[in-house]
Amino acid sequence: MIDSHAHMAFDGYGDDRAAVIERTKQQLSGWIEIGTTVAESALAAELAQEHKVWASAGVHPSDIDSLDEAGWQQIEILLQQPQVAAVGEVGLDFYRGGSLEQQEIVLRRFIDLALKYDKPVVFHVRDGKEVSAHEEMVRILESYNDNERPRGVLHTFSGTREQMRRYLDMNMYISFSGVITFKNAVETVQAAKEVPLDRVLIETDAPFLTPEPHRGQRNEPAYVILVAEKLAQLRGVSVEEIDQITEENTRRLFNLSV
């Protein structure tokens, strides 16, 4: 199977990064190394090239204040590299505040790049106390007609089932992480039960969101099997079926040929 969203270049992996990557290679077909800043997107591309996996290039909405024109140019250069399969992670995050206007302007520019280079978008969406990031993301995506809207995935889905249906109506993919193993993730679990299997991805978001029974420890891509097992349990199918379906979906969305 493929971990569709991980951050192996993060500082959470130190002296044992090589060992974690080796475990990943032994157990998975690979992972997508996700960029969150200009510098980390460059590291993601390097790591992907070194280990023959895939990367994305983008800037997390919480880090857009540091994004200047030189950074935009660097992102565009990265998107032309063969191992860079997506734009992301980009989106809306109001957990600690933030300007909707500013985040939307940046997000639409990233969408323009995704369309220019025919890449999918890895969408990060996190609600705030007073602002629903998912409702705003739906509004933004619905403002594009079907021929102009990028393809993409809502990573570590945290919205409602109704919001999920609206994303699906726009042909988006829905990705679930170790959150579906958490006891308090009631709405997310219900979404995982209902999402069409041809639209679902699995991920770890490593080193974050470690699934049970390892919650509280550092996450790693090999733990995506625990997400697959939980999803299989929720859907009443075999882990092997989830393995096959999610890998096919990941390869289709990101246009992964090898």
Side-chain angles (χ1 to χ4, degrees), residues 2-5 134 153-161 164-165 167-168 173-181 185-197 199-206 209 211 219 223-232 234-235 242 246 249-250:
I2 296 174
D3 181 356
S4 68
H5 191 117
H134 280 286
V153 58
L154 282 302
H155 115 82
T156 302
F157 183 71
S158 60
T160 66
R161 283 171 284 171
M164 180 184 73
R165 295 184 194 108
Y167 287 128
L168 291 170
Y173 286 74
I174 306 295
S175 182
F176 296 99
S177 67
V179 170
I180 63 171
T181 71
V186 178
E187 186 70 17
T188 305
V189 166
Q190 289 302 314
K193 290 180 178 180
E194 295 183 14
V195 63
L197 286 179
R199 287 281 155 179
V200 66
L201 304 185
I202 53 176
E203 63 169 281
T204 59
D205 199 18
L209 302 178
N219 205 357
Y223 289 167
V224 77
I225 182 62
L226 299 172
V227 181
E229 288 173 350
K230 182 64 176 182
L231 187 59
L234 293 173
R235 302 303 295 255
I242 294 297
T246 57
N249 293 345
T250 303

Side-chain angles (χ1 to χ4, degrees), residues 11 22 31 43 59 65 78 97 100 105 116 127 154-155 166 172 181 183 187 189 208 212 221 243:
D11 290 340
E22 184 59 30
W31 78 94
L43 286 174
V59 177
D65 286 343
L78 290 169
L100 169 59
I105 289 171
K116 178 178 179 180
D127 290 339
L154 282 302
H155 115 82
R166 292 169 73 185
M172 296 292 157
T181 71
K183 294 179 180 179
E187 186 70 17
V189 166
F208 313 110
E212 298 287 359
D243 177 353

Side-chain angles (χ1 to χ4, degrees), residues 5 87-92 107 111 120-125 134 137 140-141 149-157 167 172-173 203:
H5 191 117
V87 172
E89 59 186 289
V90 300
L92 303 174
L107 173 59
I111 287 175
V121 181
V122 178
F123 291 106
H124 169 100
V125 188
H134 280 286
M137 180 62 77
I140 290 169
L141 292 175
R149 187 182 303 115
R151 64 191 192 277
V153 58
L154 282 302
H155 115 82
T156 302
F157 183 71
Y167 287 128
M172 296 292 157
Y173 286 74
E203 63 169 281

Side-chain angles (χ1 to χ4, degrees), residues 239-253:
V239 176
E240 290 76 17
E241 184 174 350
I242 294 297
D243 177 353
Q244 179 181 349
I245 288 171
T246 57
E247 179 159 355
E248 289 175 354
N249 293 345
T250 303
R251 291 185 180 279
R252 184 187 316 117
L253 174 61

Side-chain angles (χ1 to χ4, degrees), residues 18-174:
V20 174
I21 289 175
E22 184 59 30
R23 281 197 294 273
T24 300
K25 288 181 175 180
Q26 290 176 359
Q27 299 183 47
L28 306 181
S29 299
W31 78 94
I32 300 178
E33 180 70 22
I34 304 294
T36 58
T37 66
V38 175
E40 286 168 357
S41 293
L43 286 174
E46 292 175 8
L47 196 67
Q49 184 176 39
E50 178 183 357
H51 295 286
K52 295 180 173 57
V53 292
W54 312 277
S56 72
V59 177
H60 188 286
S62 297
D63 294 307
I64 59 175
D65 286 343
S66 61
L67 183 55
D68 56 16
E69 285 303 316
W72 282 107
Q73 292 174 15
Q74 182 63 27
I75 291 290
E76 192 157 0
I77 290 170
L78 290 169
L79 290 173
Q80 297 173 62
Q81 298 185 11
Q83 74 273 27
V84 178
V87 172
E89 59 186 289
V90 300
L92 303 174
D93 192 321
F94 305 117
Y95 185 71
R96 295 183 177 85
S99 164
L100 169 59
E101 180 180 9
Q102 182 188 18
Q103 291 188 31
E104 181 172 346
I105 289 171
V106 172
L107 173 59
R108 288 185 182 274
R109 188 165 174 181
F110 275 119
I111 287 175
D112 288 344
L113 286 178
L115 294 170
K116 178 178 179 180
Y117 293 102
D118 191 25
K119 307 279 188 181
V121 181
V122 178
F123 291 106
H124 169 100
V125 188
R126 184 157 63 162
D127 290 339
K129 292 181 180 179
E130 299 179 356
V131 182
S132 170
H134 280 286
E135 285 301 310
E136 295 297 341
M137 180 62 77
V138 168
R139 172 186 61 80
I140 290 169
L141 292 175
E142 287 180 341
S143 72
Y144 295 86
N145 66 43
D146 290 344
N147 295 324
E148 295 175 339
R149 187 182 303 115
R151 64 191 192 277
V153 58
L154 282 302
H155 115 82
T156 302
F157 183 71
S158 60
T160 66
R161 283 171 284 171
E162 174 58 29
Q163 289 163 342
M164 180 184 73
R165 295 184 194 108
R166 292 169 73 185
Y167 287 128
L168 291 170
D169 286 343
M170 294 184 283
N171 295 317
M172 296 292 157
Y173 286 74
I174 306 295

